[in-house]
Amino acid sequence: MTIVRLGFVAMSVNLKNCSPSQTMTYAQFQRLKDREAAIEKLGRISASNLENCLRIIKHNAGHDIQFFRFSSKLIPLANHPEIKDFNYLRTLREPLHELGNWVSKTKMRVDFHPDHFVLLNSPKPEILNTSLRTLSMHEALLRGMNVPHEHRCVIHVGGAYNDKEKALEQFIHNWGFVPVKIQNMLMLENDDTTFTLQDTLYLCEKLAVPLVFDYHHHLANHEKDSNWSRHWDRVAASWDHSSLPVKMHISSPRSERDFNAHAEFVDPELFMSFLSEIKGSVPQIDCMIEAKQKDDALFQLMEQMCSFPEVEKIDGASFLLK
DNA sequence: CCAAGTCAAGTCAGA
DNA sequence: TCTGACTTGACTTGG
């Protein structure tokens, strides 16, 4: 028996005027003559993003959805090197607290997935530093919400830099410069062009980091004759020391031609074929749906899953695999 | 009012 | 060595 929970990413297509990712570019910021007013505006946009994020959390709770990925754009320009005087943690103390209270009250599993510019394996110190700044911002937001930081932030391995083996070793080298708190916050995901499941497992086992298996990425990028299920026990084992259930990503190719892009919805057959292979191997698995139609893709999959005989609905977006 | 263009970041393929 | 595609949603600008 395995419990399966579904989650979705960042925003709801059902809630109107509810973007958690409103923004201000640095170019816009600079155009404002009054710096103090510009920083106040950053605060107002951030507060509105957090308020909208809270609306989404409540919407989730109302639909028994217990898994959600925060937008990484909650705080515009949060780690811009020229705007160090924007003390967003202090400015947003209250709304962060409230958001965190609701997360804890609704027992929502929340995490982050910073964009692909966070590159811990970069050979350039300045890019590593920028990446660490971005990760610190994510850690600070979790702290502001009183959400335990452990295993709340998933990233990719990074660039290949013309030599994949060397790039993997560079990751291990750079890991030594990553503060322990940030190390503990991270999970690693196999990607769709460079680092396969096996590459990522190598790092996860070496560095004791949980692996987030992306099934779609695996289909797009794997070794010859690679059968993911042969490695599944290792994936599950990477979560042995986590207080959180195993996490994975699911999405479907947009088309054969545009294989790596995410489709509007998730193909239930593809998803179920995955689930039947891992059934019983772990007590619980949380599946993050990465589809263009966000929560609507989740709602559709929820409906479709009920038609499979081995699936029993617990409530909302939680199921039992028999 | 809608469509097209811009913004941010780093990598990588191709010129 | 440089340029543009890649990706994403929000936002601005042009018609």
Side-chain angles (χ1 to χ4, degrees):
Chain A
M1 300 253 254
T2 296
I3 294 171
V4 179
R5 295 195 305 185
L6 305 180
F8 69 99
V9 173
M11 57 181 286
S12 163
V13 297
N14 287 289
L15 301 178
K16 302 298 164 208
N17 297 316
C18 197
S19 166
S21 311
Q22 299 162 102
T23 192
M24 188 199 281
T25 64
Y26 187 57
Q28 288 169 271
F29 180 90
Q30 278 183 308
R31 251 178 264 135
L32 297 172
K33 295 235 161 55
D34 182 344
R35 185 179 177 92
E36 207 178 314
I39 287 179
E40 271 174 35
K41 189 170 178 188
L42 283 176
R44 281 199 305 278
I45 294 171
S46 308
S48 165
N49 284 343
L50 292 174
E51 198 179 297
N52 289 342
C53 203
L54 179 55
R55 279 179 64 198
I56 302 169
I57 295 288
K58 290 176 179 174
H59 160 77
N60 293 353
H63 291 85
D64 293 311
I65 297 166
Q66 289 183 305
F67 188 26
F68 178 64
R69 178 193 299 167
F70 286 133
S71 163
S72 277
K73 296 182 177 133
L74 291 170
I75 318 291
L77 303 175
N79 46 7
H80 197 283
E82 301 300 319
I83 318 185
K84 294 220 171 78
D85 46 338
F86 175 31
N87 190 338
Y88 54 91
L89 272 195
R90 196 177 57 204
T91 310
L92 302 163
R93 219 182 98 87
E94 282 309 311
L96 278 172
H97 242 120
E98 205 197 350
L99 187 56
N101 285 343
W102 275 86
V103 165
S104 130
K105 187 155 64 179
T106 58
K107 300 188 172 61
M108 195 77 53
R109 179 180 188 171
V110 290
D111 51 32
F112 283 110
H113 190 359
D115 59 33
H116 57 286
F117 305 113
V118 169
L119 295 153
L120 288 189
N121 77 334
S122 174
K124 297 179 191 164
E126 61 274 21
I127 289 171
L128 176 60
N129 279 331
T130 306
S131 302
L132 289 177
R133 256 210 319 276
T134 302
L135 291 174
S136 294
M137 185 267 291
H138 287 83
E139 190 276 321
L141 292 181
L142 290 168
R143 186 157 25 91
M145 290 185 243
N146 286 314
V147 171
H149 66 281
E150 194 195 71
H151 308 152
R152 300 290 182 168
C153 193
V154 57
I155 57 169
H156 296 279
V157 177
Y161 310 108
N162 293 318
D163 184 343
K164 209 169 80 163
E165 300 305 317
K166 199 172 145 199
L168 281 170
E169 296 312 314
Q170 185 77 48
F171 191 101
I172 296 169
H173 174 76
N174 288 3
W175 190 251
F177 299 101
V178 179
V180 171
K181 202 166 198 181
I182 289 177
Q183 289 183 352
N184 291 336
M185 180 176 75
L186 294 174
M187 301 165 278
L188 282 174
E189 175 191 354
N190 58 305
D191 70 65
D192 58 351
T193 54
T194 312
F195 297 102
T196 62
L197 173 60
Q198 275 129 296
D199 297 328
T200 313
L201 265 173
Y202 168 74
L203 289 182
C204 285
E205 288 174 346
K206 199 136 192 152
L207 305 173
V209 176
L211 189 146
V212 175
F213 180 53
D214 189 307
Y215 188 36
H216 180 188
H217 288 171
H218 176 74
L219 296 175
N221 175 35
H222 52 77
E223 277 82 6
K224 255 183 252 162
D225 305 321
S226 169
N227 177 358
W228 66 269
S229 61
R230 278 215 314 270
H231 305 286
W232 178 253
D233 286 348
R234 295 170 65 197
V235 175
S238 75
W239 289 88
D240 279 353
H241 301 292
S242 180
S243 56
L244 294 165
V246 175
K247 165 185 156 82
M248 70 169 298
H249 290 165
I250 53 166
S251 51
S252 295
R254 185 177 295 167
S255 65
E256 203 47 51
R257 207 177 60 87
D258 209 0
F259 192 88
N260 291 9
H262 290 171
E264 301 285 314
F265 295 93
V266 169
D267 173 6
E269 299 286 342
L270 193 68
F271 182 45
M272 282 308 301
S273 74
F274 171 82
L275 288 182
S276 5
E277 292 233 34
I278 60 111
K279 186 166 58 179
S281 66
V282 290
Q284 180 170 340
I285 186 161
D286 291 338
C287 303
M288 181 55 66
I289 296 175
E290 297 179 324
K292 301 283 278 179
Q293 291 303 318
K294 309 290 179 191
D295 51 340
D296 268 358
L298 186 154
F299 290 132
Q300 188 180 91
L301 186 62
M302 244 165 73
E303 293 278 313
Q304 290 164 329
M305 278 182 75
C306 293
S307 65
F308 291 88
E310 63 266 48
V311 174
E312 189 179 296
K313 187 162 175 159
I314 299 172
D315 57 28
S318 301
F319 301 86
L320 199 59
L321 261 188
K322 291 182 289 188

